[in-house]
Amino acid sequence: MRLLERMRKDWFMIGIVLAIAGAKLEPSIGVNGGPLKPEITVSYIAVATIFFNSGLSLKTEFADSRLHASACVFCSDFNQGSWWE
């Protein structure tokens, strides 16, 4: 019972150790051009996932105010974009 509680508490650390051990045993999976395609997954998918998770953790009041501010900036930039003509 105590071991199961400890595993539930430290599940992330256990996952990291297992991932490192797997990479040590079979490094060909993560090389460039390998099945995981790290040149794509790390540069695009991982970064997009990090920003998506960060956005999910925002409070709704903050997200609503930022969305309104973004819309105002977009509209003002769009309206002023034709001033040079």
Side-chain angles (χ1 to χ4, degrees), residues 55-78:
L56 288 178
S57 66
L58 290 176
K59 293 181 180 177
T60 55
E61 298 87 19
F62 180 72
D64 289 342
S65 67
R66 296 285 294 189
L67 183 61
H68 177 71
S70 300
C72 291
V73 169
F74 173 74
C75 290
S76 66
D77 186 42
F78 182 74

Side-chain angles (χ1 to χ4, degrees), residues 37-50:
K37 304 271 189 235
E39 59 274 3
I40 296 171
T41 54
V42 172
S43 56
Y44 297 112
I45 297 172
V47 172
T49 303
I50 289 168

Side-chain angles (χ1 to χ4, degrees), residues 2-82:
R2 186 113 172 114
L3 179 64
L4 186 60
E5 290 174 8
R6 181 70 178 199
M7 288 177 64
R8 284 186 181 161
K9 181 181 175 192
D10 294 331
W11 64 270
F12 188 72
M13 186 62 71
I14 292 169
I16 289 175
V17 169
L18 289 175
I20 291 172
K24 179 73 173 169
L25 293 173
E26 193 61 44
S28 64
I29 293 175
V31 298
N32 281 346
L36 285 182
K37 304 271 189 235
E39 59 274 3
I40 296 171
T41 54
V42 172
S43 56
Y44 297 112
I45 297 172
V47 172
T49 303
I50 289 168
F51 277 105
F52 180 72
N53 284 337
S54 296
L56 288 178
S57 66
L58 290 176
K59 293 181 180 177
T60 55
E61 298 87 19
F62 180 72
D64 289 342
S65 67
R66 296 285 294 189
L67 183 61
H68 177 71
S70 300
C72 291
V73 169
F74 173 74
C75 290
S76 66
D77 186 42
F78 182 74
N79 290 335
Q80 295 172 3
S82 60

